[in-house]
Structures are given as structure tokens and as C-alpha cells.
Amino acid sequence: MITNAYKHAFKGRDKGVITIEVTQEDDEGLTLKVYDDGVGLPEDAKRPERSDSLGWRMIRTLTFQHEATLKVEGQDGLCVEISFPAQG
């Protein structure tokens, strides 16, 4: 996700910010959030997480392997959030 942000988020700009957050809410599991202040998603990119690109395939595989959930938002930059369930 960091590589994708670095490669795609800041086209036409000299700099930008990529933020990585890992949080744990009690026994709820972990949430990994990677977001940037880049260009966001193009208007015609309705479901980028369904892309056949290597980066998105890797993200989907990681999410599936760990029975996690994936959330993607593309306004004001791009935010990818993966919520991993608690391990019992």
C-alpha cells in the first residue's frame, strides 16, 4: 500500500504525506490504515480494490488469508483500511 501511494498519489507534485496507523480496540483485533493526501481516485474508478493490478491482488490476498475486512475511500487522497479480527 505504501509503494502504491508513493507511485500514484502525488503525480504532478513534489511532495506529499503518507500516513500509516495500526490500532487495537480492546479484543476487537487490529486495524491497519494507510492513507495519503494525494490526488485520490479518478472519477471513473468505482471499485479500485477489484483491480487486477499486482498491488491490489496482494492486498486482497492478505485480507482473505486473515479473514479481514477491506475498506477503501478515495476522496481527499486515498485511504485503505484493513481490519483484522482478534485471534482467539
Side-chain angles (χ1 to χ4, degrees):
M1 291 185 285
I2 298 164
T3 300
N4 276 356
Y6 181 76
K7 287 172 60 176
H8 302 290
F10 308 115
K11 290 184 180 180
R13 294 172 47 184
D14 292 334
K15 55 184 165 180
V17 176
I18 299 170
T19 304
I20 303 159
E21 292 180 2
V22 177
T23 57
Q24 181 176 14
E25 302 279 336
D26 296 324
D27 292 332
E28 296 290 317
L30 293 174
T31 299
L32 169 64
K33 185 187 284 190
V34 178
Y35 56 96
D36 61 63
D37 66 347
V39 297
L41 294 173
E43 297 267 338
D44 61 347
K46 297 186 186 334
R47 301 292 305 260
E49 68 275 15
R50 293 188 179 184
S51 168
D52 281 334
S53 72
L54 177 61
W56 283 110
R57 287 193 322 243
M58 291 172 62
I59 292 167
R60 283 194 308 268
T61 299
L62 171 75
T63 302
F64 177 76
Q65 286 176 338
H66 295 280
E67 299 177 355
T69 57
L70 175 64
K71 181 176 163 185
V72 179
E73 296 180 7
Q75 298 80 24
D76 300 321
L78 182 67
C79 178
V80 179
E81 180 177 302
I82 302 174
S83 297
F84 299 91
Q87 299 294 311

